[in-house]
Amino acid sequence: MHRLTPAAAPCGAPQDPAGLRLYAVLRGDVQMSEGKSNAQAGHAYCDALLHSLSHPDPDIRTSAASYAALKPGTKICLDGGSIDAMHRLMDDLAAAGIPFIQITDQDHVELPDFDGSPILTAIGIGPHHVKDQPRFLRRLARWTGGKRGRLARKEAAVA
């Protein structure tokens, strides 16, 4: 289940399509297997592009079409942290007029954090031009496995 969330305001079409990026911001406070996190990032990238290709703002549609023509285009995966941080990020994106989509996983069980109930797993953003990247997006760390990655690094340090 994926909820489309329109941008609050238009953003200008970039002049250099090579600077366009799609972002997947994964929730870092839940334990996802590598396969699950890869799938959630894939949903975020694809759904963000599809959402932007049909967006009512012509500048956003133009950016999306320019990004799609790049084949494959640059994709960046970031760690969004907690559920509260993810909601703040969506509020910031909406206020900035940056197109995004919320990815909600449902009916898939992967314990301990996924019991089949709806759960926010990712946010797909863009395409958005790297030169216009807002500070709140630049502050996010690259995805390194979230909770699963932190647990693995902690175990490796003890061994």
Side-chain angles (χ1 to χ4, degrees):
M1 177 175 148
H2 309 291
R3 188 182 98 199
L4 295 178
T5 308
C11 64
Q15 295 180 9
D16 174 20
L20 289 170
R21 306 287 185 262
L22 278 179
Y23 297 87
V25 181
L26 299 181
R27 189 165 158 196
D29 66 341
V30 294
Q31 190 168 334
M32 287 188 261
S33 67
E34 187 174 355
K36 185 167 212 53
S37 60
N38 290 345
Q40 298 309 304
H43 292 315
Y45 295 131
C46 291
D47 290 359
L49 182 58
L50 291 172
H51 172 60
S52 292
L53 284 167
S54 61
H55 198 279
D57 184 305
D59 288 340
I60 291 173
R61 286 195 311 271
T62 299
S63 292
S66 296
Y67 179 87
L70 293 173
K71 296 181 184 170
T74 301
K75 295 163 187 72
I76 298 172
C77 195
L78 302 171
D79 190 327
S82 71
I83 185 74
D84 292 335
M86 295 283 279
H87 283 288
R88 281 191 305 273
L89 176 61
M90 288 187 285
D91 290 343
D92 290 342
L93 290 164
I98 298 170
F100 68 94
I101 187 164
Q102 176 178 316
I103 306 299
T104 301
D105 188 82
Q106 182 175 327
D107 299 329
H108 301 106
V109 177
E110 185 177 286
L111 300 174
D113 294 315
F114 295 87
D115 63 4
S117 302
I119 182 171
L120 173 67
T121 55
I123 302 167
I125 304 170
H128 191 69
H129 203 278
V130 69
K131 73 178 174 87
D132 297 327
Q133 188 182 41
R135 182 180 307 263
F136 62 80
L137 201 53
R138 287 192 310 265
R139 288 184 185 157
L140 297 178
R142 303 283 181 186
W143 177 257
T144 58
K147 185 176 178 180
R148 175 188 48 81
R150 286 189 295 281
L151 290 172
R153 287 187 297 279
K154 187 175 183 179
E155 289 174 5
V158 172

Coordinates of all heavy atoms in Angstrom, one line a residue, residues 18-58:
A18 N 21.2 16.4 -15.8 CA 22.2 15.5 -15.1 C 22.2 15.7 -13.6 O 22.7 14.9 -12.9 CB 23.5 15.7 -15.8
G19 N 21.8 16.9 -13.2 CA 21.8 17.2 -11.7 C 20.6 16.7 -11.0 O 20.5 16.8 -9.8
L20 N 19.7 16.1 -11.7 CA 18.5 15.5 -11.1 C 18.8 14.3 -10.3 O 19.6 13.4 -10.7 CB 17.4 15.3 -12.1 CG 16.7 16.5 -12.7 CD1 15.9 16.1 -13.9 CD2 15.9 17.2 -11.7
R21 N 18.1 14.1 -9.1 CA 18.3 12.9 -8.3 C 16.9 12.4 -7.8 O 16.0 13.2 -7.6 CB 19.1 13.3 -7.0 CG 20.5 13.9 -7.3 CD 21.5 12.9 -7.9 NE 22.8 13.5 -8.0 CZ 23.3 14.0 -9.1 NH1 22.5 14.0 -10.2 NH2 24.5 14.5 -9.2
L22 N 16.8 11.1 -7.7 CA 15.7 10.5 -7.0 C 16.3 10.1 -5.6 O 17.4 9.6 -5.5 CB 15.2 9.3 -7.7 CG 14.2 9.5 -8.8 CD1 13.8 8.2 -9.4 CD2 13.0 10.3 -8.4
Y23 N 15.5 10.3 -4.6 CA 15.9 9.9 -3.2 C 14.9 8.9 -2.6 O 13.7 9.0 -2.8 CB 15.9 11.1 -2.3 CG 16.9 12.2 -2.7 CD1 16.5 13.2 -3.6 CD2 18.1 12.3 -2.2 CE1 17.4 14.2 -4.0 CE2 19.0 13.3 -2.6 CZ 18.6 14.2 -3.5 OH 19.5 15.2 -3.9
A24 N 15.5 7.9 -1.9 CA 14.7 7.0 -1.1 C 15.2 7.3 0.3 O 16.4 7.1 0.6 CB 15.0 5.6 -1.5
V25 N 14.3 7.7 1.2 CA 14.7 7.9 2.6 C 14.0 6.8 3.4 O 12.8 6.7 3.4 CB 14.2 9.3 3.1 CG1 14.6 9.5 4.6 CG2 14.8 10.4 2.2
L26 N 14.8 5.9 3.9 CA 14.3 4.7 4.6 C 14.3 4.9 6.1 O 15.1 5.6 6.7 CB 15.2 3.5 4.3 CG 15.3 3.0 2.9 CD1 16.2 1.8 2.7 CD2 14.0 2.8 2.3
R27 N 13.3 4.3 6.7 CA 13.1 4.5 8.1 C 14.2 3.7 8.8 O 14.3 2.5 8.6 CB 11.7 4.0 8.5 CG 11.4 4.2 9.9 CD 9.9 4.1 10.2 NE 9.7 3.9 11.6 CZ 8.6 3.4 12.1 NH1 7.6 3.1 11.3 NH2 8.5 3.2 13.4
G28 N 14.9 4.3 9.7 CA 16.1 3.7 10.3 C 15.8 3.1 11.7 O 16.7 2.5 12.2
D29 N 14.7 3.3 12.2 CA 14.4 2.8 13.6 C 13.7 1.4 13.6 O 13.3 1.0 14.7 CB 13.7 3.8 14.4 CG 12.2 4.0 13.9 OD1 11.9 3.7 12.8 OD2 11.4 4.6 14.7
V30 N 13.5 0.8 12.5 CA 12.9 -0.5 12.4 C 13.9 -1.5 11.8 O 14.8 -1.1 11.0 CB 11.6 -0.6 11.6 CG1 10.5 0.2 12.3 CG2 11.8 -0.1 10.2
Q31 N 13.8 -2.8 12.2 CA 14.8 -3.7 11.6 C 14.2 -4.3 10.4 O 13.2 -5.0 10.4 CB 15.0 -4.8 12.7 CG 16.2 -5.7 12.3 CD 16.6 -6.6 13.5 OE1 16.4 -6.3 14.6 NE2 17.2 -7.7 13.2
M32 N 14.9 -4.0 9.2 CA 14.5 -4.6 7.9 C 15.7 -5.4 7.4 O 16.9 -5.0 7.5 CB 14.3 -3.5 6.9 CG 13.1 -2.7 7.1 SD 12.8 -1.5 5.7 CE 13.4 0.0 6.4
S33 N 15.4 -6.6 6.8 CA 16.5 -7.3 6.2 C 17.0 -6.5 5.0 O 16.4 -5.6 4.6 CB 15.9 -8.7 5.7 OG 15.0 -8.5 4.6
E34 N 18.1 -6.9 4.5 CA 18.7 -6.2 3.3 C 17.7 -6.3 2.2 O 17.5 -5.3 1.5 CB 20.0 -6.9 3.0 CG 20.8 -6.1 1.9 CD 22.2 -6.6 1.6 OE1 22.6 -7.6 2.3 OE2 22.8 -6.1 0.7
G35 N 17.1 -7.4 2.0 CA 16.1 -7.6 0.9 C 14.9 -6.6 1.0 O 14.5 -6.0 0.1
K36 N 14.4 -6.6 2.3 CA 13.3 -5.7 2.5 C 13.6 -4.2 2.3 O 12.9 -3.5 1.7 CB 12.7 -5.9 3.9 CG 11.4 -5.1 4.2 CD 10.7 -5.6 5.4 CE 9.3 -5.5 5.4 NZ 8.5 -6.1 4.3
S37 N 14.8 -3.8 2.8 CA 15.2 -2.4 2.7 C 15.4 -2.1 1.2 O 15.1 -1.0 0.7 CB 16.4 -2.1 3.5 OG 17.5 -2.8 3.2
N38 N 16.0 -3.0 0.4 CA 16.2 -2.8 -1.0 C 14.8 -2.7 -1.7 O 14.7 -1.8 -2.6 CB 17.0 -4.0 -1.6 CG 18.4 -4.0 -1.2 OD1 19.0 -3.0 -0.7 ND2 19.1 -5.1 -1.4
A39 N 13.9 -3.5 -1.3 CA 12.5 -3.5 -2.0 C 11.9 -2.1 -1.6 O 11.2 -1.5 -2.5 CB 11.7 -4.6 -1.5
Q40 N 12.0 -1.7 -0.4 CA 11.3 -0.4 0.0 C 12.0 0.7 -0.7 O 11.3 1.7 -1.1 CB 11.4 -0.3 1.5 CG 10.7 -1.3 2.3 CD 9.3 -1.6 1.9 OE1 8.4 -0.7 1.8 NE2 8.9 -2.8 1.5
A41 N 13.3 0.7 -0.9 CA 14.0 1.8 -1.6 C 13.5 1.7 -3.1 O 13.2 2.8 -3.7 CB 15.5 1.6 -1.6
G42 N 13.4 0.5 -3.7 CA 12.9 0.4 -5.0 C 11.5 1.0 -5.2 O 11.2 1.7 -6.2
H43 N 10.6 0.7 -4.2 CA 9.2 1.3 -4.3 C 9.3 2.8 -4.2 O 8.6 3.5 -4.9 CB 8.4 0.8 -3.1 CG 8.0 -0.6 -3.1 ND1 7.6 -1.3 -4.2 CD2 8.1 -1.6 -2.1 CE1 7.3 -2.6 -3.9 NE2 7.6 -2.8 -2.7
A44 N 10.2 3.3 -3.4 CA 10.3 4.8 -3.2 C 10.8 5.4 -4.5 O 10.2 6.4 -4.9 CB 11.3 5.1 -2.0
Y45 N 11.8 4.9 -5.1 CA 12.3 5.5 -6.4 C 11.2 5.4 -7.5 O 11.0 6.4 -8.1 CB 13.6 4.7 -6.9 CG 14.8 4.8 -6.0 CD1 15.5 3.7 -5.6 CD2 15.2 6.0 -5.5 CE1 16.6 3.7 -4.8 CE2 16.4 6.1 -4.7 CZ 17.0 4.9 -4.4 OH 18.2 5.0 -3.6
C46 N 10.7 4.2 -7.7 CA 9.7 4.1 -8.8 C 8.5 4.9 -8.6 O 8.0 5.6 -9.5 CB 9.3 2.6 -8.9 SG 10.7 1.6 -9.6
D47 N 7.9 4.8 -7.4 CA 6.7 5.6 -7.1 C 6.9 7.1 -7.1 O 6.0 7.8 -7.5 CB 6.1 5.1 -5.8 CG 5.5 3.7 -5.8 OD1 5.6 3.1 -6.9 OD2 5.0 3.2 -4.8
A48 N 8.1 7.5 -6.7 CA 8.3 9.0 -6.7 C 8.4 9.5 -8.2 O 7.8 10.5 -8.5 CB 9.6 9.3 -6.0
L49 N 9.0 8.7 -9.0 CA 9.1 9.1 -10.4 C 7.7 9.0 -11.1 O 7.3 10.0 -11.8 CB 10.1 8.2 -11.2 CG 10.3 8.6 -12.7 CD1 10.8 10.0 -12.8 CD2 11.3 7.6 -13.3
L50 N 7.0 8.0 -10.9 CA 5.6 7.9 -11.5 C 4.7 9.0 -11.0 O 4.0 9.6 -11.8 CB 5.0 6.5 -11.1 CG 5.7 5.3 -11.8 CD1 5.1 4.0 -11.3 CD2 5.5 5.4 -13.3
H51 N 4.8 9.3 -9.7 CA 4.0 10.4 -9.1 C 4.3 11.7 -9.8 O 3.5 12.5 -10.2 CB 4.2 10.4 -7.6 CG 3.6 11.6 -6.9 ND1 2.3 11.9 -6.9 CD2 4.2 12.6 -6.2 CE1 2.1 13.0 -6.2 NE2 3.2 13.4 -5.8
S52 N 5.6 12.0 -10.0 CA 6.1 13.2 -10.6 C 5.7 13.3 -12.0 O 5.5 14.4 -12.6 CB 7.6 13.4 -10.3 OG 7.8 13.6 -9.0
L53 N 5.8 12.2 -12.7 CA 5.4 12.2 -14.2 C 4.0 12.6 -14.4 O 3.6 13.1 -15.5 CB 5.7 10.8 -14.8 CG 7.2 10.5 -15.1 CD1 7.3 9.0 -15.4 CD2 7.7 11.3 -16.2
S54 N 3.1 12.4 -13.4 CA 1.7 12.7 -13.6 C 1.3 13.8 -12.6 O 0.1 14.1 -12.5 CB 0.8 11.5 -13.3 OG 1.0 11.0 -12.0
H55 N 2.2 14.6 -12.1 CA 2.0 15.7 -11.2 C 1.2 16.8 -11.9 O 1.5 17.1 -13.1 CB 3.3 16.2 -10.6 CG 3.1 17.0 -9.4 ND1 2.7 18.3 -9.4 CD2 3.2 16.6 -8.1 CE1 2.7 18.7 -8.1 NE2 2.9 17.7 -7.3
P56 N 0.3 17.5 -11.2 CA -0.4 18.6 -11.9 C 0.5 19.8 -12.2 O 0.2 20.6 -13.1 CB -1.4 19.0 -10.9 CG -1.1 18.4 -9.6 CD -0.2 17.2 -9.9
D57 N 1.7 20.0 -11.6 CA 2.6 21.1 -11.9 C 3.4 20.7 -13.1 O 4.2 19.7 -13.1 CB 3.5 21.3 -10.6 CG 4.4 22.5 -10.8 OD1 5.1 22.5 -11.8 OD2 4.4 23.4 -10.0
P58 N 3.3 21.5 -14.2 CA 4.1 21.2 -15.4 C 5.6 21.2 -15.2 O 6.3 20.4 -15.9 CB 3.7 22.3 -16.4 CG 3.0 23.3 -15.6 CD 2.5 22.7 -14.3

